[in-house]
């Protein structure tokens, strides 16, 4: 049970890139540039080139809020 609870907590804290695109309405490459610039935090789950990347929801929300006029 604890593992399932931890997995749900982890899932709520991070988005896959596709989920982040749907959530934010921002393109995949825009998210990648923002992450590279340090504006949003991401976690790469593998060191290989095609490894899965997760986007931190809190930093994504903060970045989106900073873009509002």
């Amino acid at each position: 049970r604890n593992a399932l609870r931890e997995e749900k907590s982890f899932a709520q804290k991070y988005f896959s890139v596709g989920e982040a695109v749907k959530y934010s309405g921002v393109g995949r490459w825009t998210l990648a540039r923002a992450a590279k610039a340090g504006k949003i935090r991401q976690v790469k789950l593998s060191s290989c080139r095609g490894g899965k990347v997760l986007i931190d929801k809190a930093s994504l929300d903060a970045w989106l809020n900073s873009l509002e006029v």
Side-chain angles (χ1 to χ4, degrees):
R1 283 189 177 210
N2 288 338
L4 181 59
R5 199 172 303 147
E6 287 176 18
E7 185 177 324
K8 280 186 175 183
S9 175
F10 184 79
Q12 292 170 352
K13 187 173 178 179
Y14 293 95
F15 288 132
S16 69
V17 174
E19 291 169 334
V21 166
K22 289 178 186 175
Y23 175 80
S24 66
V26 175
R28 173 178 303 268
W29 293 108
T30 302
L31 289 175
R33 283 191 300 272
K36 187 172 183 177
K39 297 182 187 265
I40 58 175
R41 288 189 306 272
Q42 65 180 10
V43 176
K44 190 165 184 185
L45 299 180
S46 173
S47 61
C48 69
R49 183 178 176 120
K52 185 169 178 100
V53 174
L54 298 178
I55 306 290
D56 179 74
K57 182 182 183 298
S59 68
L60 177 60
D61 286 336
W63 179 66
L64 290 171
N65 288 332
S66 75
L67 298 176
E68 290 182 1
V69 177

